[in-house]
């Protein structure tokens, strides 16, 4: 069995190599001819597996029988076209959700430091309470951060009313979040049509309604925000703070909007090694099941030890300083922001954007770091554990 795999999928040989011959190809170069003699295709979000690619592959005699995407989102894959041609499909829901939550918390911590406020004093609105948004809501609530949540499709499907899932805060409409929250975090899928469409969910009217001083953070889908309207608000009034990891028209994103964002990163919020390995492993298991072979490898077989496994803290820091220190040991979003701007200047935006993703440095998740707390720091245990670290009384 021949398996064509996006060049940025980690551990493909270790995992998928158990099932067949692995051939790596850069994601943006994958086309019908690439899978002429392939039995399986494994991609990430930059490869458009659309009806034309599938039809052309079939027309040239491709034996393709399985497509997997090592991502949560699936809007880059035409699932109906795959089904019409009898091709199996699997995605990796939740694989990088923890990494995205890490990114959100690290970004908010950086903004609080730069702008002189405390996250504990802010109300955070979370739009989309799925794999990512649900975890973010859980962590913020555990950190005693006031939150409001919005997820109309989930409310409709599950008849959620005043009480949120597992005792978490209840659900509200988007305009309530816009009116009442200091921070607005978007974690919705991209849905272009229907009663719960999210394309330009934050349109010009809603962007204009954001109160001065609001932080807008989008780590969901770029097309959920009207980028032109946001750029005009930032350039004209300059009274919002934008943190953007996803963009319209990737990789040729709006350079002027990137310049105006306080933190601008190249769609890497979920790019932890742990998240990528989970995605690879989930697709490995799905492909093995599809072809009737055993899946013998576990995640423990794939994940290496973290470069920093333990950090010991004592008195002398504020809770915010202690939390920020622990976060930056694992992930500093300023690095990702600086990399995008540097490579955009050097190579142009589209090439620089893709190069940052292709050469993204090693990054682990908060949960890989154990925090030892000596007597003078034990009062921070709940805060650090809530943020996602493993806490031990040193």
């Amino acid at each position: 069995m021949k398996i064509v795999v996006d060049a940025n999928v980690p551990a493909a040989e270790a995992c998928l190599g158990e099932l067949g011959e692995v051939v790596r190809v850069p994601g943006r170069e994958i086309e019908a001819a690439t899978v002429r003699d392939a039995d399986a295709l494994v991609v990430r979000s930059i490869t458009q597996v659309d009806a034309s690619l599938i039809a052309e592959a079939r027309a040239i005699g491709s034996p393709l029988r399985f497509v997997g995407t090592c991502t949560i989102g699936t809007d880059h894959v035409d699932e109906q076209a795959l089904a019409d041609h009898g091709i199996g499909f699997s995605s990796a829901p939740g694989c990088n959700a923890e990494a995205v939550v890490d990114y959100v918390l690290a970004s908010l911590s950086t903004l609080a430091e730069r702008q002189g406020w405390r996250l504990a004093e802010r109300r955070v609105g979370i739009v989309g309470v799925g794999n990512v948004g649900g975890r973010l809501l859980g962590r913020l609530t555990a950190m005693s951060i006031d939150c409001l949540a919005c997820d109309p499709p989930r409310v409709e499907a599950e008849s959620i009313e005043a009480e949120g899932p597992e005792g978490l805060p209840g659900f509200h409409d988007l305009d309530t979040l816009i009116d009442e929250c200091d921070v607005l975090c978007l974690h919705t899928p991209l849905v272009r049509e229907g009663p719960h469409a999210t394309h330009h969910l934050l349109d010009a009217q809603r962007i204009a309604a954001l109160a001065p001083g609001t932080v807008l953070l989008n780590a969901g889908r770029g097309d959920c925000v009207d980028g032109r309207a946001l750029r005009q608000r930032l350039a004209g009034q300059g009274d919002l703070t934008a943190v953007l990891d996803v963009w319209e028209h990737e990789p040729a994103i709006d350079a002027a909007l990137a310049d105006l964002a306080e933190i601008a990163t190249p769609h890497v919020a979920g790019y932890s090694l742990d998240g990528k390995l989970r995605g690879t492993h989930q697709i490995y298991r799905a492909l093995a099941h599809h072809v009737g072979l055993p899946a013998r490898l576990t995640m423990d077989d794939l994940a290496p030890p973290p470069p920093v496994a333990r950090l010991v803290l004592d008195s002398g820091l504020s809770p915010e300083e202690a939390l920020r220190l622990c976060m930056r040991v694992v992930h500093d979003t300023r690095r990702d922001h600086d990399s995008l701007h540097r490579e955009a200047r050097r190579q142009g935006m589209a090439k620089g954007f893709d190069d940052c993703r292709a050469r993204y440095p090693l990054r682990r998740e908060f949960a890989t770091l154990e925090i030892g707390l000596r007597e003078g720091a034990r009062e921070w245990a709940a805060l650090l554990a809530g943020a996602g670290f493993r806490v031990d009384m040193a």
Side-chain angles (χ1 to χ4, degrees):
M1 178 167 61
K2 181 177 178 180
I3 309 167
V4 172
V5 183
D6 182 304
N8 284 338
V9 170
E13 288 78 11
C15 249
L16 300 166
E18 284 229 328
L19 306 176
E21 175 195 4
V22 171
V23 177
R24 288 187 176 270
V25 179
R28 293 203 194 277
E29 297 178 16
I30 293 173
E31 54 188 22
T34 312
V35 296
R36 178 188 296 273
D37 57 351
D39 301 283
L41 172 63
V42 177
V43 300
R44 292 189 61 81
S45 58
I46 63 172
T47 301
Q48 295 296 314
V49 185
D50 54 22
S52 61
L53 183 150
I54 297 161
E56 187 178 345
R58 280 291 190 252
I60 60 177
S62 170
L64 189 67
R65 51 181 165 148
F66 177 87
V67 170
T69 180
C70 300
T71 59
I72 294 176
T74 61
D75 48 88
H76 56 293
V77 178
D78 190 329
E79 297 181 50
Q80 186 59 55
L82 291 177
D84 290 345
H85 288 272
I87 299 171
F89 173 71
S90 184
S91 62
C95 65
N96 65 353
E98 298 291 350
V100 177
V101 176
D102 289 352
Y103 170 94
V104 172
L105 296 180
S107 296
L108 294 178
S109 177
T110 292
L111 293 183
E113 180 186 37
R114 286 178 177 174
Q115 299 178 350
W117 46 265
R118 297 175 61 240
L119 183 56
E121 298 169 348
R122 298 296 171 108
R123 172 177 280 177
V124 178
I126 301 171
V127 185
V129 191
N131 281 311
V132 175
R135 285 172 170 84
L136 177 61
L137 181 58
R139 283 209 230 171
L140 288 171
T141 301
M143 295 166 67
S144 299
I145 307 298
D146 188 19
C147 298
L148 296 182
C150 171
D151 195 324
R154 184 170 175 179
V155 170
E156 183 177 286
E158 302 178 17
S159 299
I160 298 172
E161 296 179 357
E163 290 296 326
E166 300 177 5
L168 295 176
F171 285 66
H172 306 268
D173 61 59
L174 177 55
D175 293 324
T176 297
L177 268 64
I178 289 173
D179 288 342
E180 298 187 12
C181 293
D182 308 294
V183 178
L184 196 64
C185 297
L186 302 186
H187 299 289
T188 65
L190 177 60
V191 180
R192 294 191 177 275
E193 298 177 348
H196 300 303
T198 62
H199 181 261
H200 283 190
L201 182 65
L202 253 66
D203 56 12
Q205 182 176 353
R206 281 179 166 146
I207 289 169
L210 293 170
T214 298
V215 173
L216 172 61
L217 189 153
N218 189 10
R221 288 290 179 266
D223 288 335
C224 294
V225 174
D226 183 337
R228 180 179 178 183
L230 178 58
R231 170 166 47 80
Q232 290 174 343
R233 172 79 187 259
L234 293 172
Q237 295 170 248
D239 57 354
L240 301 179
T241 296
V243 177
L244 302 175
D245 181 62
V246 291
W247 311 78
E248 294 180 292
H249 313 303
E250 293 180 13
I253 69 171
D254 184 340
L257 177 57
D259 285 340
L260 291 165
E262 187 74 14
I263 298 176
T265 54
H267 203 154
V268 292
Y271 259 39
S272 70
L273 176 62
D274 308 86
K276 289 181 179 181
L277 289 175
R278 282 190 212 101
T280 304
H281 190 258
Q282 286 177 237
I283 296 305
Y284 155 71
R285 289 177 58 86
L287 177 56
H289 177 77
H290 186 76
V291 300
L293 293 174
R296 295 175 293 185
L297 290 175
T298 68
M299 271 294 293
D300 289 340
D301 296 321
L302 302 178
V308 181
R310 181 173 169 82
L311 180 67
V312 178
L313 300 181
D314 208 330
S315 59
L317 299 172
S318 69
E320 294 79 16
E321 290 170 331
L323 180 61
R324 189 174 302 118
L325 172 63
C326 295
M327 288 180 176
R328 286 181 178 164
V329 167
V330 182
H331 182 210
D332 189 344
T333 55
R334 298 174 303 179
R335 177 195 66 185
D336 301 336
H337 171 93
D338 292 346
S339 294
L340 176 60
H341 285 276
R342 181 181 65 248
E343 295 307 317
R345 288 193 300 270
R346 192 170 70 87
Q347 305 183 65
M349 181 56 79
K351 194 165 188 293
F353 188 98
D354 272 351
D355 192 63
C356 287
R357 289 165 58 86
R359 300 176 184 274
Y360 194 70
L362 176 68
R363 170 184 152 203
R364 302 304 297 270
E365 293 176 359
F366 289 177
T368 65
L369 179 63
E370 181 179 80
I371 309 297
L373 297 179
R374 291 186 175 147
E375 186 173 355
R378 289 178 182 172
E379 63 185 292
W380 307 330
L383 176 66
L384 295 172
F389 299 99
R390 292 179 293 116
V391 175
D392 173 61
M393 300 303 176

